[in-house]
Amino acid sequence: MKLRDLMFVLPNLFTVSSIFCGFYAMALCTDEGSTVNLYQAALAIFFGIFFDGFDGRVARLTKTQSLFGQELDSLADVVTFGAAPALLIWKWALEGLGIVGTFIAFAFAACGALRLARFNVLAIKSPHGGASRFFIGMPIPFAACGLVSMVIAFQNTHGGTLPESARWPVAAIVMFLALLMVSTVRYRTFKDVRLSTRSIVMLMAILVFGIVIATQIHPAWVLVTYFGLYLVSGLVESIVMLRQHLVSQKNASLADVVDE
């Protein structure tokens, strides 16, 4: 096998590693379902996020992007960031809610699959091949990170079984993330970020904020905080863009009236 052929295999190894993390997480969820196993399952999905973040970068670095790799990545995301987190959150919080909890967990996995299908279609139609400044809807790895961060934070700060009173709030969060994935809320891809004084200052501010959270509250809440900032940033930016669109439409209407 030639070196070039091996280079094509390299990014797919990262993708397959992500699938393994998702499969291992589901195996832990079905094996007794103890709080220790669920915590380890959350960590496994988190490592899956790490592998998923590098497969595309490795492909671009080695110039081995392929349609096969793109399709494999989408299938991996359905397993690792759709089915695995849905099963995890069902065992951790939603199992006690009966059929409602089962439906909400399923809705997260289903919305994740729908979001990936829409992304693939838009990527085919896009002249940039999907490499735009914004995602349409929350990316499924980030939604999975939201669920995983809750489990990791709770188990590190409280431990034990989730209280009954917290099950419905968790269910609401899961449903909200599911709807965000299939929404038209725009989230930044950060593909347009370049090294500059502004970007360095922003990165340092985020790091300092994380350090404050870690030292003053608990290190486990840093991931929850960063996810919350990303979630809110998309909502705020979409509201601002919608407002600008409405203002431009209003100005255009006024201009038409003046011309008449």
Side-chain angles (χ1 to χ4, degrees), residues 132-148:
S132 62
R133 294 172 56 202
F134 295 96
F135 293 114
I136 306 300
M138 174 170 282
I140 187 171
F142 283 95
C145 180
L147 302 188
V148 166

Side-chain angles (χ1 to χ4, degrees), residues 138 187 227-237:
M138 174 170 282
Y187 282 92
F227 171 76
L229 289 175
Y230 185 72
L231 186 153
V232 172
S233 69
L235 294 173
V236 171
E237 197 156 19

